[in-house]
Amino acid sequence: MGGPEVDRLIGLLAKLPGLGPRSARRAVLRMLQQPETRMAPLAAAITAAARAVRTCSVCGNLDSRDPCGICADPVRDQSLVCVVEGVGDLWALERTGAHRGRYHVLGGTLSALGGTGPDDLNTTSLLQLADELSEIILALSATVDGATTAHWLTDQLRRVAPELPITRVGQGVPFGGALDVLDDGTLLAALKGRRSV
Ligand SMILES: [Zn+2]
């Protein structure tokens, strides 16, 4: 249907989160029917994003600038750092507009089953800067791995910065819940209702 180019496009789109083969076919058909107004701009935007976007060397966010727009923002409190598992969590929290500091992306959680150990997480820059910070907010999933990671990271932070206030979001985050699937109101409540660890 449509030739190998179209099959390949549908196959690639169908692997994206939220899209299956059926949605991918519909999207591709819509683009093919309006190649100049829909397909060409999308192709150009994908190429531009793929060329420009990189991992922020300070926090681990994905952005076309390094440091990213959040790390480079002079209005934000650089000493208040919210630690998240992934960029999706960062973008979800950022959407709420509730956090006035910056972020730090771990790149996952400790996981015995998943084979993720301390060396697999991005913590070096966080631990190096820890004694200059005013507060660290741990915004990790309410899962066993999230809790294990929070305990482990708290221990590491206490070693380099014993006085540093460390808080955890929790209120409103259901057990087993990943942050990036929560609605904005729940995330806002979780961030505001953080408590000391
Ligand atoms: Zn950054």
Side-chain angles (χ1 to χ4, degrees):
M1 212 167 35
E5 295 85 354
V6 173
D7 288 344
R8 179 169 158 70
L9 182 56
I10 292 171
L12 288 170
L13 284 175
K15 287 183 188 150
L16 296 176
L19 288 177
R22 186 185 157 87
S23 300
R25 272 196 303 273
R26 291 175 60 196
V28 168
L29 180 58
R30 178 63 65 86
M31 286 192 280
L32 290 171
Q33 287 167 334
Q34 292 169 297
E36 291 307 317
T37 54
R38 293 197 189 267
M39 196 161 220
L42 181 70
I46 289 174
T47 304
R51 282 207 188 110
V53 172
R54 62 208 70 209
T55 300
C56 173
S57 56
V58 180
C59 74
N61 188 16
L62 290 170
D63 197 298
S64 57
R65 299 150 293 181
D66 185 18
C68 73
I70 295 171
C71 287
D73 185 346
V75 176
R76 284 179 176 260
D77 182 351
Q78 299 293 325
S79 75
L80 173 63
V81 175
C82 182
V83 177
V84 293
E85 288 166 28
V87 175
D89 302 318
L90 186 165
W91 288 6
L93 283 165
E94 194 55 18
R95 215 174 46 225
T96 70
H99 180 54
R100 59 185 176 79
R102 60 179 185 87
Y103 296 88
H104 183 88
V105 180
L106 288 179
T109 52
L110 296 178
S111 169
L113 287 176
T116 310
D119 292 344
D120 299 312
L121 300 183
N122 168 36
T123 55
T124 310
S125 63
L126 182 70
L127 294 171
Q128 280 170 351
L129 284 173
D131 61 350
E132 297 168 22
L133 302 179
S134 63
E135 180 184 346
I136 283 191
I137 304 165
L138 302 177
L140 305 174
S141 299
T143 59
V144 172
D145 287 344
T148 305
T149 307
H151 284 299
W152 173 80
L153 188 57
T154 300
D155 282 348
Q156 302 296 310
L157 289 164
R158 290 265 182 262
R159 278 181 206 178
V160 291
E163 306 296 323
L164 172 66
I166 303 172
T167 55
R168 250 186 107 173
V169 304
Q171 194 180 345
V173 180
F175 187 76
L179 289 187
D180 67 350
V181 299
L182 298 176
D183 65 85
D184 291 3
T186 306
L187 271 177
L188 201 65
L191 197 59
K192 286 197 169 147
R194 65 187 189 268
R195 44 184 199 264
S196 278
V197 297

